[in-house]
Amino acid sequence: AEDVVPRGDRVRVLLELSRTGLTHHHIAALSPATIEEFLTTRRELGLKETYELLLPRPDQLVWGEKSLSNAYLMREIASLYPDTVFVHVLRDPRATTLSWVALHYLEDEDEALELDRDAAGAVAYSAMRWASWTDAIDGSSETLPDAAVTRVRFEELVDEPAPVLQRVCMRLGVEFDERMLDPKQRSGDPVLATRRHAHRRLSDPVDAARADAGDRLPAWAAAVVERYACDGMARHGYPSRGEELPSGERQKLLGELDFLEPILRKRLARDAARSGPPEGHGDAQKSEAVEGR
């Protein structure tokens, strides 16, 4: 069956899982007995059985999993776990792009983002990914029960964290505890040990100013985000800046995007295919957001 992980592939699966982020730390912490059982058991292991065998064995009643590629697999996950609740944290793509570009391209979010081919490519790819994920989540949400999906706007979360978190806890069937918002409590979260640059703010007090982080994107970068993420932005109430680019800058940007776009679309489709999305979710939108400026 397609769902079965063949015994001969289990070492490869384990190696693949051990190469990334939190999964690496989790696999490294598994007991030798668990690893041996996974590799040697004669019974067939489907994807669900593999996942549960390699999970920790917590006493808590709720398991959480935050892989971004889950956006493409919501219907499949819901079929395996009917009581799943998907928490969609929605954020302005200009802010997510600033965060992603700062992590992968700049030294810090406050560093100036100058227009060149590398910067244009980083911004465009981030916006394409946001659009692809958002389209996939919106499409799946329409087919799942209302109780299966709860949306959290990042801007509301940082502005009023307690009531937003209370709402999420209620949906999950978990009792809200004020300590959930205590930075000292969060400082022990194992995620901080994985990509400290990306997750370091988890141990800081909630900063309401983060809601407007995308305002720091230069006009050319905001135009690129709006070019590729415009449909999802419109659906979720994120208005265009409406800034007009100088003619020379606009022409330079269009030239770079004409070169980069086919490359980035292939990269996005390849990355999305590895996550197993339904056909069509890998296509990012293109708009007149840059051409019309």
Side-chain angles (χ1 to χ4, degrees):
E2 293 182 2
D3 184 45
V4 172
V5 180
R7 290 184 65 188
D9 286 348
R10 291 178 192 172
V11 171
R12 179 183 59 80
V13 168
L14 203 61
L15 289 174
E16 289 290 334
L17 291 173
S18 68
R19 287 174 180 165
T20 58
L22 274 178
T23 308
H24 165 76
H25 290 262
H26 171 62
I27 296 296
L30 289 175
S31 69
T34 299
I35 297 294
E36 182 179 4
E37 181 182 358
F38 172 64
L39 294 177
T40 63
T41 184
R42 292 183 176 275
R43 74 178 190 276
E44 286 191 343
L45 294 177
L47 297 178
K48 180 179 180 181
E49 289 78 14
T50 296
Y51 182 66
E52 293 180 355
L53 179 60
L54 296 178
L55 276 173
R57 297 293 188 268
D59 295 328
Q60 288 84 354
L61 298 177
V62 176
W63 283 343
E65 215 286 337
K66 65 180 287 290
S67 297
L68 295 172
S69 57
N70 288 340
Y72 297 124
L73 298 168
M74 291 170 65
R75 288 186 286 266
E76 290 79 1
I77 292 170
S79 69
L80 293 173
Y81 297 97
D83 58 348
T84 293
V85 175
F86 298 96
V87 181
H88 177 198
V89 181
L90 180 69
R91 190 181 186 189
D92 189 319
R94 288 160 295 204
T96 64
T97 293
L98 177 65
S99 178
W100 191 84
V101 170
L103 174 62
H104 295 280
Y105 182 78
L106 303 174
E107 294 296 327
D108 190 85
E109 286 187 7
D110 294 327
E111 182 181 339
L113 186 61
E114 304 294 338
L115 173 54
D116 59 28
R117 179 163 294 176
D118 288 343
V123 170
Y125 185 66
S126 176
M128 286 179 173
R129 292 203 315 165
W130 184 94
S132 181
W133 286 331
T134 303
D135 286 352
I137 293 169
D138 289 351
S140 294
S141 297
E142 292 178 357
T143 67
L144 293 171
D146 290 343
V149 182
T150 185
R151 181 170 287 120
V152 173
R153 296 187 76 94
F154 177 87
E155 296 81 8
E156 295 176 357
L157 176 63
V158 297
D159 185 48
E160 295 186 298
V164 173
L165 191 54
Q166 285 173 345
R167 174 166 59 87
V168 174
C169 287
M170 184 178 299
R171 180 63 66 92
L172 295 174
V174 174
E175 185 177 353
F176 173 74
D177 190 320
E178 289 285 351
R179 289 176 297 177
M180 294 176 178
L181 298 171
D182 184 353
K184 291 183 179 179
Q185 291 286 119
R186 296 199 302 274
S187 65
D189 193 313
V191 74
L192 295 174
T194 60
R195 301 179 73 179
R196 192 166 294 276
H197 176 74
H199 299 121
R200 66 184 187 276
R201 288 192 176 90
L202 286 176
S203 59
D204 295 338
V206 177
D207 182 5
R210 298 294 301 160
D212 300 321
D215 292 347
R216 297 204 299 275
L217 270 185
W220 72 263
V224 173
V225 174
E226 292 165 16
R227 170 185 173 102
Y228 295 109
C230 61
D231 289 351
M233 291 174 65
R235 285 198 306 272
H236 294 290
Y238 291 114
S240 167
R241 279 195 194 176
E243 294 183 68
E244 184 173 344
L245 300 180
S247 176
E249 186 176 43
R250 182 175 68 250
Q251 291 306 312
K252 178 181 180 180
L253 179 58
L254 287 173
E256 298 294 0
L257 294 179
D258 284 344
F259 173 81
L260 290 165
E261 189 170 297
I263 299 171
L264 296 178
R265 286 188 184 279
K266 288 181 180 179
R267 177 184 173 188
L268 182 70
R270 182 178 65 248
D271 291 349
R274 284 202 291 261
S275 302
E279 184 177 353
H281 278 159
D283 296 328
Q285 306 97 344
K286 177 180 178 181
S287 77
E288 303 301 316
V290 173
E291 286 89 336
R293 295 191 186 282

